[in-house]
Amino acid sequence: MGRRATRGEIRARWIALLLPAALLGGAWGAQLIGGLYPCEMCHWQRWPHYAAVVVALLAFLMPRRLSNALVVVAALLVAVSGVIGVAHAGVEYGWWQGFTACTSTVDLSGATAADRLRSILNAPLIRCDVAQWRLFGISLAGYNAILSLGGALVILMTMRTDRRTMR
């Protein structure tokens, strides 16, 4: 029978679950409450976080050895979102050119072709190269990059530090 999970491993599991969940909550809050429409690259940053939440939840249900592997996978997924955030922030700051089409929030449920055309023409165009919101000069993509990459590092270091103290 294997050993029980250490405190660090349990802490890492919780961080691997709560960090992407909190970042997704912030993104959805900015969208639904703050009225900020996500661009295509914003959506790209969300997908690894969704996967990380699922993987981290599974880590709570698995035996210790598999659980630790799943926590590492969740940390890597969080880091992937951070890398996408760096790419998106770079596009917003004009460091490099973007590689997506812009996004629009078109409602095509109109009854007639004229209604649908009016909806298309009146829908806001959400550009990936323009930050809709900044705090201290950092956009949401920038904060995602900082928190995701930093958080992934914290998860991995928590797992590693705990192993060192066990020897």
Side-chain angles (χ1 to χ4, degrees):
M1 187 113 186
R3 293 181 314 188
R4 298 180 69 166
T6 63
R7 288 182 191 166
E9 290 168 344
I10 293 169
R11 249 190 317 267
R13 283 183 206 165
W14 280 107
I15 297 168
L17 174 65
L18 296 177
L19 176 66
L23 290 171
L24 284 168
W28 278 102
Q31 181 178 340
L32 299 175
I33 298 167
L36 302 178
Y37 293 101
C39 71
E40 187 173 353
M41 291 182 81
C42 293
H43 284 293
W44 293 356
Q45 292 171 76
R46 292 181 188 187
W47 288 108
H49 284 311
Y50 291 130
V53 167
V54 171
V55 170
L57 279 172
L58 288 174
F60 280 95
L61 304 174
M62 298 296 161
R64 180 176 182 232
R65 187 175 209 76
L66 184 55
S67 175
N68 288 345
L70 289 172
V71 169
V72 170
V73 170
L76 294 176
L77 286 165
V78 170
V80 166
S81 179
V83 169
I84 297 169
V86 168
H88 189 186
V91 170
E92 290 174 337
Y93 293 118
W95 297 339
W96 46 76
Q97 185 156 349
F99 30 81
T100 70
C102 293
T103 304
S104 182
T105 57
V106 177
D107 178 17
L108 296 177
S109 63
T112 67
D115 289 340
R116 289 191 292 272
L117 179 59
R118 190 172 18 265
S119 179
I120 290 169
L121 294 174
N122 292 327
L125 184 66
I126 310 303
R127 296 175 44 164
C128 293
D129 62 346
V130 177
Q132 295 182 58
W133 181 89
R134 290 180 194 246
L135 179 64
F136 307 118
I138 302 173
S139 67
L140 288 175
Y143 280 109
N144 179 58
I146 293 166
L147 294 172
S148 293
L149 292 172
L153 186 62
V154 166
I155 294 165
L156 295 173
M157 293 305 290
T158 301
M159 296 284 291
R160 184 177 167 97
T161 302
D162 203 45
R163 286 195 184 138
R164 281 188 193 157
T165 59
M166 293 295 294
R167 291 182 189 171

